[in-house]
Amino acid sequence: MTEAAETARDPRPAPDEHTSRRLGTEGLLSPHPFGARLPAPYAEDAFAQRFVSAFDEVMAPVLAVLDCLEAYWDPRLAPEDFLRWLAGWVAADADESRPLAERRRAVAGAVELHRLRGTARGLAEQVREALGVEVEVTDSGGAAWSAAPGGDLPGSPEPFLRVRVRGDGPGAPSMTRLTALVDAGRPAHVPYTIESAGPEER
């Protein structure tokens, strides 16, 4: 059977560069070698020491991960492949096409963005984190107080949401992605419009 056929039949996903590096790191020493824990008769037995050294090579990457496990939960330090897991756990928008530094910021700020979800500020922050652009968000909501009863109600009786992109040109965001973000982040019952602050409407 050819190598290509063997590869096609193998259902296991190909490990990425970072995972492969942790599965086996050449020259990585174990802090707890098996040979040092063998009974005294085997302590100076060359064959026994060589035999158990194979287990050290397998366990060394595992022990190295456990020794710095705290860094895996920090999106600023986590390996790139583990960052994808963190993004899934906190429902962060960490698109693989974005630079690594941006994805780390998105994961780190995801919890705060969830707290602001459904608000104008939260939507503006979400667009800034996901697309790296500033937008101005206005809506029909409002809040006010009055010392006398019967005061005017704040806001507008007709719900609306307006997202205005600041700037135009080559650095402008993709309208497809921007529309998808606004549609997912707005209150479901509120219609929205997206405008450009430049001379032409996007």
Side-chain angles (χ1 to χ4, degrees):
M1 184 178 292
T2 65
E3 182 179 349
E6 284 286 350
T7 303
R9 291 182 55 184
D10 190 348
R12 296 173 299 176
D16 65 22
E17 177 187 356
H18 302 278
T19 304
S20 301
R21 201 175 297 158
R22 287 199 298 278
L23 290 176
T25 305
E26 186 176 352
L28 184 63
L29 300 178
S30 170
H32 308 289
F34 282 89
R37 290 180 286 166
L38 290 177
Y42 300 102
E44 298 182 2
D45 187 312
F47 173 78
Q49 291 293 326
R50 289 197 307 273
F51 181 79
V52 297
S53 67
F55 299 107
D56 291 333
E57 185 176 347
V58 173
M59 292 301 298
V62 177
L63 297 175
V65 169
L66 293 177
D67 286 344
C68 59
L69 191 59
E70 182 178 352
Y72 280 70
W73 314 127
D74 188 338
R76 299 169 301 174
L77 304 174
E80 187 172 353
D81 63 310
F82 199 81
L83 186 68
R84 291 196 294 267
W85 285 73
L86 292 181
W89 293 346
V90 297
D93 180 18
D95 190 341
E96 294 292 320
S97 63
R98 298 170 60 188
L100 178 59
E102 289 186 12
R103 281 182 277 154
R104 293 189 185 279
R105 286 198 301 270
V107 174
V111 174
E112 177 65 14
L113 284 180
H114 292 323
R115 187 177 71 83
L116 298 173
R117 190 176 180 86
T119 66
R121 177 187 166 194
L123 183 57
E125 289 287 333
Q126 184 180 9
V127 172
R128 183 176 62 82
E129 287 291 341
L131 302 180
V133 296
E134 298 291 338
V135 295
E136 178 183 338
V137 181
T138 55
D139 63 6
S140 55
W145 70 276
S146 174
D152 294 333
L153 294 177
S156 169
E158 294 297 328
F160 72 86
L161 176 67
R162 184 178 299 110
V163 178
R164 193 169 179 78
V165 182
R166 298 177 183 173
D168 205 343
S174 162
M175 280 300 294
T176 301
R177 288 202 61 199
L178 179 57
T179 301
L181 279 173
V182 173
D183 194 51
R186 69 185 173 98
H189 67 287
V190 178
Y192 66 93
T193 58
I194 301 177
E195 302 174 351
S196 171
E200 296 180 2
E201 185 174 318
R202 293 185 61 77

